[in-house]
Amino acid sequence: MHKLTLEWHEAGQLRRETIHHEQRSKYPGTVRLGRDPVRCDLVFSDPTVSGLHVEIFFNPSTQAFALRNLRPTNPPLVDGQPISQEEAPLSQGSTIHLGQLALTVAAVSLAVPNKGIPPTILVSPQALAAANQPAPDVVSYGLQCPNCGRVAPYERMDLGCQWCGVSLAAAASILITHNSN
């Protein structure tokens, strides 16, 4: 998951907020910042911040977070540059000024696909036998109970955990290997 963490001082305290690129917000796909709690997801009390000042979003084409100005007057500054019509890319260490309020991009975390790690390929024992290859292990899947940690077969999903009775609807899927010897 792509995340961006903002830090700022407000009312004498350090505040920190993490924005996730797919988080629920009032305007899906963006997180709006300003003073107005009705229109903004991240609300500030500083009177120099506009009611609806900017929005931050993840741009999939550039694989980066960006800031967009929502005010024709009182434009934000990103790294000292006024942002009027265009979008400004954000990176770790970027400084955003909304009026006199300074926010710092404390961290940016971009989810990177697991490149270089080969996918797990499951082959049936019948296919191995047809190719004259020994079956090193028998592989199956199960559901790990979120309560007791035991692993139940998929067929039990609608019945719940056979040991403690907890629903397996939110259980983790586990790869189970059994020795064929």
Short mmCIF file of all heavy atoms in Angstrom, two decimals, residues 8-45:
data_model
loop_
_atom_site.label_atom_id
_atom_site.label_comp_id
_atom_site.label_asym_id
_atom_site.label_seq_id
_atom_site.Cartn_x
_atom_site.Cartn_y
_atom_site.Cartn_z
N TRP A 8 3.45 18.30 11.36
CA TRP A 8 3.36 19.75 11.51
C TRP A 8 3.14 20.07 12.99
O TRP A 8 2.81 19.19 13.78
CB TRP A 8 2.24 20.32 10.65
CG TRP A 8 0.86 19.95 11.08
CD1 TRP A 8 0.00 20.69 11.86
CD2 TRP A 8 0.16 18.73 10.79
NE1 TRP A 8 -1.17 20.02 12.06
CE2 TRP A 8 -1.10 18.81 11.41
CE3 TRP A 8 0.47 17.59 10.07
CZ2 TRP A 8 -2.04 17.79 11.33
CZ3 TRP A 8 -0.46 16.58 9.99
CH2 TRP A 8 -1.70 16.68 10.61
N HIS A 9 3.39 21.32 13.33
CA HIS A 9 3.13 21.79 14.69
C HIS A 9 1.85 22.62 14.68
O HIS A 9 1.68 23.50 13.84
CB HIS A 9 4.30 22.65 15.20
CG HIS A 9 5.48 21.82 15.56
ND1 HIS A 9 6.45 21.48 14.66
CD2 HIS A 9 5.83 21.24 16.74
CE1 HIS A 9 7.37 20.74 15.25
NE2 HIS A 9 7.02 20.58 16.52
N GLU A 10 0.98 22.28 15.61
CA GLU A 10 -0.27 23.03 15.72
C GLU A 10 -0.64 23.07 17.20
O GLU A 10 -0.59 22.05 17.89
CB GLU A 10 -1.38 22.33 14.91
CG GLU A 10 -2.63 23.13 14.79
CD GLU A 10 -3.61 22.52 13.79
OE1 GLU A 10 -3.63 21.30 13.60
OE2 GLU A 10 -4.37 23.30 13.20
N ALA A 11 -0.97 24.25 17.69
CA ALA A 11 -1.33 24.47 19.09
C ALA A 11 -0.22 23.98 20.02
O ALA A 11 -0.47 23.38 21.06
CB ALA A 11 -2.66 23.82 19.43
N GLY A 12 1.03 24.19 19.60
CA GLY A 12 2.17 23.82 20.42
C GLY A 12 2.49 22.34 20.46
O GLY A 12 3.34 21.92 21.24
N GLN A 13 1.82 21.53 19.65
CA GLN A 13 2.06 20.09 19.65
C GLN A 13 2.43 19.61 18.26
O GLN A 13 1.93 20.12 17.26
CB GLN A 13 0.83 19.34 20.12
CG GLN A 13 0.49 19.59 21.57
CD GLN A 13 -0.63 18.67 22.03
OE1 GLN A 13 -1.29 18.01 21.24
NE2 GLN A 13 -0.85 18.63 23.33
N LEU A 14 3.31 18.61 18.23
CA LEU A 14 3.66 17.96 16.97
C LEU A 14 2.52 17.02 16.60
O LEU A 14 2.10 16.19 17.40
CB LEU A 14 4.96 17.17 17.10
CG LEU A 14 5.39 16.38 15.86
CD1 LEU A 14 5.72 17.34 14.72
CD2 LEU A 14 6.57 15.48 16.17
N ARG A 15 2.00 17.19 15.39
CA ARG A 15 0.95 16.31 14.90
C ARG A 15 1.49 15.52 13.73
O ARG A 15 2.38 15.97 13.01
CB ARG A 15 -0.27 17.13 14.47
CG ARG A 15 -0.94 17.78 15.68
CD ARG A 15 -2.30 18.34 15.41
NE ARG A 15 -3.19 17.38 14.79
CZ ARG A 15 -4.28 17.74 14.10
NH1 ARG A 15 -4.59 19.01 13.94
NH2 ARG A 15 -5.04 16.83 13.56
N ARG A 16 0.93 14.35 13.54
CA ARG A 16 1.37 13.45 12.47
C ARG A 16 0.15 12.76 11.90
O ARG A 16 -0.72 12.31 12.66
CB ARG A 16 2.35 12.43 13.05
CG ARG A 16 2.80 11.37 12.09
CD ARG A 16 3.74 10.43 12.79
NE ARG A 16 5.07 10.96 12.67
CZ ARG A 16 6.09 10.31 12.11
NH1 ARG A 16 5.91 9.09 11.68
NH2 ARG A 16 7.26 10.86 12.02
N GLU A 17 0.09 12.68 10.59
CA GLU A 17 -1.04 12.02 9.92
C GLU A 17 -0.51 11.24 8.73
O GLU A 17 0.28 11.76 7.94
CB GLU A 17 -2.05 13.06 9.46
CG GLU A 17 -3.32 12.50 8.89
CD GLU A 17 -4.25 11.95 9.96
OE1 GLU A 17 -4.28 12.49 11.07
OE2 GLU A 17 -4.95 10.96 9.66
N THR A 18 -0.94 9.99 8.59
CA THR A 18 -0.53 9.17 7.45
C THR A 18 -1.69 9.06 6.48
O THR A 18 -2.83 8.78 6.87
CB THR A 18 -0.08 7.77 7.91
OG1 THR A 18 1.05 7.93 8.78
CG2 THR A 18 0.32 6.90 6.73
N ILE A 19 -1.40 9.30 5.22
CA ILE A 19 -2.38 9.24 4.15
C ILE A 19 -2.10 7.98 3.34
O ILE A 19 -0.98 7.74 2.91
CB ILE A 19 -2.27 10.49 3.24
CG1 ILE A 19 -2.62 11.74 4.04
CG2 ILE A 19 -3.13 10.34 2.00
CD1 ILE A 19 -2.30 13.03 3.30
N HIS A 20 -3.13 7.16 3.16
CA HIS A 20 -3.03 5.94 2.35
C HIS A 20 -3.69 6.22 1.01
O HIS A 20 -4.73 6.87 0.96
CB HIS A 20 -3.74 4.78 3.03
CG HIS A 20 -3.24 4.51 4.40
ND1 HIS A 20 -2.18 3.70 4.66
CD2 HIS A 20 -3.65 4.98 5.61
CE1 HIS A 20 -1.95 3.66 5.95
NE2 HIS A 20 -2.84 4.44 6.55
N HIS A 21 -3.11 5.73 -0.06
CA HIS A 21 -3.63 6.12 -1.38
C HIS A 21 -5.04 5.61 -1.65
O HIS A 21 -5.73 6.17 -2.48
CB HIS A 21 -2.64 5.73 -2.48
CG HIS A 21 -2.86 4.40 -3.12
ND1 HIS A 21 -2.47 3.23 -2.53
CD2 HIS A 21 -3.43 4.08 -4.28
CE1 HIS A 21 -2.79 2.23 -3.32
NE2 HIS A 21 -3.37 2.71 -4.39
N GLU A 22 -5.51 4.60 -0.96
CA GLU A 22 -6.87 4.11 -1.19
C GLU A 22 -7.74 4.26 0.05
O GLU A 22 -8.73 3.56 0.20
CB GLU A 22 -6.83 2.65 -1.65
CG GLU A 22 -6.25 2.48 -3.03
CD GLU A 22 -6.25 1.04 -3.49
OE1 GLU A 22 -6.48 0.13 -2.67
OE2 GLU A 22 -6.03 0.83 -4.68
N GLN A 23 -7.39 5.22 0.92
CA GLN A 23 -8.17 5.37 2.14
C GLN A 23 -9.53 5.98 1.85
O GLN A 23 -9.71 6.65 0.84
CB GLN A 23 -7.41 6.20 3.18
CG GLN A 23 -7.45 7.69 2.96
CD GLN A 23 -6.62 8.43 4.01
OE1 GLN A 23 -5.53 8.00 4.36
NE2 GLN A 23 -7.14 9.53 4.51
N ARG A 24 -10.45 5.73 2.74
CA ARG A 24 -11.78 6.31 2.61
C ARG A 24 -11.66 7.80 2.86
O ARG A 24 -10.99 8.25 3.77
CB ARG A 24 -12.73 5.68 3.61
CG ARG A 24 -12.88 4.18 3.37
CD ARG A 24 -13.85 3.61 4.31
NE ARG A 24 -15.16 3.72 3.65
CZ ARG A 24 -16.29 3.44 4.24
NH1 ARG A 24 -16.31 3.06 5.49
NH2 ARG A 24 -17.43 3.56 3.59
N SER A 25 -12.31 8.58 2.03
CA SER A 25 -12.29 10.02 2.18
C SER A 25 -13.60 10.59 1.63
O SER A 25 -14.39 9.87 1.02
CB SER A 25 -11.09 10.63 1.46
OG SER A 25 -11.22 10.49 0.06
N LYS A 26 -13.78 11.88 1.84
CA LYS A 26 -14.99 12.54 1.37
C LYS A 26 -15.02 12.63 -0.15
O LYS A 26 -16.08 12.70 -0.75
CB LYS A 26 -15.11 13.92 2.01
CG LYS A 26 -15.31 13.81 3.51
CD LYS A 26 -15.33 15.15 4.20
CE LYS A 26 -15.49 14.89 5.69
NZ LYS A 26 -15.46 16.06 6.48
N TYR A 27 -13.85 12.62 -0.78
CA TYR A 27 -13.71 12.65 -2.24
C TYR A 27 -12.78 11.51 -2.62
O TYR A 27 -11.57 11.69 -2.62
CB TYR A 27 -13.18 14.01 -2.70
CG TYR A 27 -14.10 15.14 -2.31
CD1 TYR A 27 -13.98 15.77 -1.08
CD2 TYR A 27 -15.13 15.53 -3.16
CE1 TYR A 27 -14.86 16.78 -0.70
CE2 TYR A 27 -16.00 16.54 -2.79
CZ TYR A 27 -15.86 17.16 -1.56
OH TYR A 27 -16.73 18.14 -1.19
N PRO A 28 -13.33 10.32 -2.89
CA PRO A 28 -12.50 9.14 -3.14
C PRO A 28 -11.37 9.40 -4.13
O PRO A 28 -11.55 10.06 -5.15
CB PRO A 28 -13.49 8.11 -3.69
CG PRO A 28 -14.80 8.52 -3.07
CD PRO A 28 -14.75 10.03 -3.03
N GLY A 29 -10.20 8.90 -3.76
CA GLY A 29 -9.01 9.07 -4.58
C GLY A 29 -8.16 10.25 -4.16
O GLY A 29 -7.04 10.39 -4.63
N THR A 30 -8.68 11.10 -3.28
CA THR A 30 -7.94 12.26 -2.80
C THR A 30 -8.17 12.43 -1.30
O THR A 30 -9.15 11.94 -0.76
CB THR A 30 -8.36 13.57 -3.50
OG1 THR A 30 -9.68 13.92 -3.07
CG2 THR A 30 -8.31 13.45 -5.00
N VAL A 31 -7.26 13.15 -0.66
CA VAL A 31 -7.43 13.56 0.72
C VAL A 31 -7.34 15.08 0.70
O VAL A 31 -6.35 15.65 0.27
CB VAL A 31 -6.34 12.96 1.63
CG1 VAL A 31 -6.45 13.51 3.05
CG2 VAL A 31 -6.46 11.44 1.64
N ARG A 32 -8.43 15.72 1.12
CA ARG A 32 -8.50 17.18 1.06
C ARG A 32 -8.10 17.79 2.40
O ARG A 32 -8.51 17.30 3.46
CB ARG A 32 -9.89 17.63 0.64
CG ARG A 32 -10.13 17.23 -0.82
CD ARG A 32 -11.35 17.84 -1.39
NE ARG A 32 -11.35 17.67 -2.84
CZ ARG A 32 -12.28 18.12 -3.62
NH1 ARG A 32 -13.29 18.82 -3.12
NH2 ARG A 32 -12.21 17.93 -4.93
N LEU A 33 -7.33 18.89 2.33
CA LEU A 33 -6.81 19.57 3.50
C LEU A 33 -7.33 21.00 3.55
O LEU A 33 -7.38 21.67 2.51
CB LEU A 33 -5.29 19.60 3.47
CG LEU A 33 -4.52 18.30 3.69
CD1 LEU A 33 -4.65 17.35 2.54
CD2 LEU A 33 -3.06 18.62 3.93
N GLY A 34 -7.68 21.46 4.73
CA GLY A 34 -8.15 22.82 4.93
C GLY A 34 -8.75 23.00 6.30
O GLY A 34 -8.59 22.13 7.17
N ARG A 35 -9.46 24.09 6.52
CA ARG A 35 -10.10 24.38 7.81
C ARG A 35 -11.53 23.87 7.91
O ARG A 35 -12.05 23.68 9.01
CB ARG A 35 -10.11 25.90 8.06
CG ARG A 35 -8.84 26.44 8.62
CD ARG A 35 -9.01 27.87 9.13
NE ARG A 35 -10.27 28.49 8.78
CZ ARG A 35 -10.41 29.43 7.84
NH1 ARG A 35 -9.38 29.90 7.20
NH2 ARG A 35 -11.60 29.94 7.57
N ASP A 36 -12.19 23.64 6.80
CA ASP A 36 -13.61 23.29 6.80
C ASP A 36 -13.81 21.79 7.04
O ASP A 36 -13.49 20.96 6.18
CB ASP A 36 -14.24 23.68 5.46
CG ASP A 36 -15.73 23.46 5.39
OD1 ASP A 36 -16.31 22.88 6.33
OD2 ASP A 36 -16.34 23.89 4.39
N PRO A 37 -14.36 21.42 8.21
CA PRO A 37 -14.52 19.99 8.50
C PRO A 37 -15.56 19.30 7.61
O PRO A 37 -15.56 18.08 7.50
CB PRO A 37 -14.95 19.97 9.97
CG PRO A 37 -15.48 21.32 10.25
CD PRO A 37 -14.80 22.27 9.31
N VAL A 38 -16.44 20.05 6.97
CA VAL A 38 -17.45 19.46 6.10
C VAL A 38 -16.82 19.01 4.78
O VAL A 38 -17.15 17.96 4.25
CB VAL A 38 -18.61 20.45 5.85
CG1 VAL A 38 -19.57 19.92 4.81
CG2 VAL A 38 -19.32 20.75 7.15
N ARG A 39 -15.89 19.80 4.25
CA ARG A 39 -15.30 19.50 2.93
C ARG A 39 -13.91 18.86 3.01
O ARG A 39 -13.41 18.38 1.99
CB ARG A 39 -15.21 20.78 2.10
CG ARG A 39 -16.56 21.39 1.80
CD ARG A 39 -16.46 22.61 0.93
NE ARG A 39 -15.74 23.68 1.64
CZ ARG A 39 -15.27 24.77 1.07
NH1 ARG A 39 -15.40 24.94 -0.23
NH2 ARG A 39 -14.67 25.70 1.78
N CYS A 40 -13.28 18.83 4.18
CA CYS A 40 -11.89 18.37 4.29
C CYS A 40 -11.78 17.09 5.11
O CYS A 40 -12.53 16.89 6.06
CB CYS A 40 -11.03 19.46 4.90
SG CYS A 40 -10.95 20.94 3.89
N ASP A 41 -10.81 16.27 4.74
CA ASP A 41 -10.51 15.05 5.48
C ASP A 41 -9.49 15.33 6.59
O ASP A 41 -9.52 14.69 7.63
CB ASP A 41 -9.95 13.99 4.53
CG ASP A 41 -10.91 13.69 3.41
OD1 ASP A 41 -12.00 13.16 3.69
OD2 ASP A 41 -10.59 14.00 2.24
N LEU A 42 -8.58 16.25 6.35
CA LEU A 42 -7.58 16.65 7.32
C LEU A 42 -7.81 18.12 7.61
O LEU A 42 -7.67 18.97 6.73
CB LEU A 42 -6.18 16.41 6.74
CG LEU A 42 -4.99 16.57 7.66
CD1 LEU A 42 -5.16 15.77 8.94
CD2 LEU A 42 -3.73 16.10 6.95
N VAL A 43 -8.23 18.42 8.85
CA VAL A 43 -8.68 19.76 9.22
C VAL A 43 -7.66 20.44 10.12
O VAL A 43 -7.15 19.83 11.07
CB VAL A 43 -10.05 19.68 9.93
CG1 VAL A 43 -10.54 21.05 10.34
CG2 VAL A 43 -11.08 18.99 9.02
N PHE A 44 -7.37 21.72 9.82
CA PHE A 44 -6.42 22.53 10.58
C PHE A 44 -7.16 23.70 11.22
O PHE A 44 -8.16 24.18 10.68
CB PHE A 44 -5.32 23.07 9.67
CG PHE A 44 -4.61 21.99 8.92
CD1 PHE A 44 -4.94 21.70 7.60
CD2 PHE A 44 -3.61 21.24 9.52
CE1 PHE A 44 -4.29 20.70 6.91
CE2 PHE A 44 -2.96 20.23 8.83
CZ PHE A 44 -3.30 19.96 7.52
N SER A 45 -6.64 24.19 12.33
CA SER A 45 -7.26 25.33 13.01
C SER A 45 -6.59 26.65 12.65
O SER A 45 -7.14 27.71 12.96
CB SER A 45 -7.20 25.12 14.53
OG SER A 45 -5.86 25.03 14.96
#
